[in-house]
Amino acid sequence: MKGKVLFIVTLLSVLLAGRAEAQRCLPKMRGIELKAGLNGADGYVLGATLSSYAKGGNKWVYGVEYLQTNHDYRSTTIPAAQFTAEGGFYYNFLSDAKKMVFLYAGASALAGYETVNWGKKTLYDGARLNNGDAFVYGCAATLDMEVYLADFIALTASLRERFLWGGSMGVCHTEFGIGVKFIIN
């Protein structure tokens, strides 16, 4: 009888004591993020990022991004695209006790290539574009959020301002987007 009571008390204490929470964003953990978003009213962004976590849930970020905007011209649009690579650091300024939600403020260096109308200077009506293809460089400031659904998968949301010089699309680009991150180790 004593054995059954001891077993039941032990079982109840294990069940009622709470569950152990998984540890996330530990140093040297890595994650791959696939993201999509909007750039202003007339463009979109696609990207992939590798995150390498450091102490305190902070992370180093390395990624590639494709941005396309369309500019109206008479009855058609002229596409302008940027292909950029980035590297930066994101500081974890807020997270909950269970490590389910992380908020980051980040800064990145950007470099890449810009093309207008895919390199075609002459338009359908004979007009010529003055804008050409160019090397672009600059930086980005980002607010990023990660919400973990499981230990190995998180949903992300970001708001970022890109500052790029050297091209003809303008210097500032505001982006907002969502993504999914997979923890790979």
Side-chain angles (χ1 to χ4, degrees):
M1 182 72 174
K2 285 184 181 183
K4 287 182 181 181
V5 171
L6 181 61
F7 176 75
I8 291 172
V9 168
T10 304
L11 183 63
L12 286 175
S13 65
V14 168
L15 292 174
L16 298 176
R19 60 177 224 223
E21 296 296 328
Q23 296 190 17
R24 297 184 175 102
C25 304
L26 296 174
K28 297 188 181 179
M29 286 181 83
R30 290 193 173 94
I32 295 176
E33 179 182 0
L34 303 173
K35 55 187 174 179
L38 299 174
N39 175 42
D42 62 352
Y44 64 92
V45 179
L46 300 172
T49 304
L50 172 69
S51 301
S52 179
Y53 291 92
K55 288 184 179 181
N58 303 324
K59 60 183 177 179
W60 289 96
V61 175
Y62 312 96
V64 293
E65 199 169 74
Y66 171 74
L67 177 143
Q68 180 168 336
T69 59
N70 294 307
H71 304 279
D72 292 332
Y73 177 75
R74 297 190 182 175
S75 63
T76 187
T77 59
I78 300 171
Q82 291 179 342
F83 303 88
T84 54
E86 81 170 288
F89 183 77
Y90 286 30
Y91 174 72
N92 174 27
F93 68 90
L94 185 63
S95 62
D96 67 336
K98 291 187 177 186
K99 302 297 183 199
M100 297 287 289
V101 179
F102 291 84
L103 295 174
Y104 295 94
S108 303
L110 300 171
Y113 187 73
E114 175 183 287
T115 181
V116 178
N117 202 29
W118 303 109
K120 298 175 189 169
K121 292 276 194 188
T122 305
L123 300 177
Y124 72 94
D125 62 354
R128 290 195 42 86
L129 288 173
N130 290 333
N131 304 9
D133 297 353
F135 174 75
V136 291
Y137 58 94
C139 59
T142 307
L143 289 175
D144 192 51
M145 179 176 71
E146 294 179 0
V147 178
Y148 279 84
L149 302 177
D151 292 340
F152 60 91
I153 189 168
L155 295 179
T156 64
S158 65
L159 172 66
R160 71 187 307 189
E161 185 69 29
R162 293 172 20 141
F163 305 95
L164 290 171
W165 294 273
S168 59
M169 288 176 60
V171 175
C172 298
H173 300 276
T174 303
E175 300 175 1
F176 49 94
I178 58 172
V180 61
K181 179 179 280 191
F182 302 97
I183 303 301
I184 55 177
N185 70 340

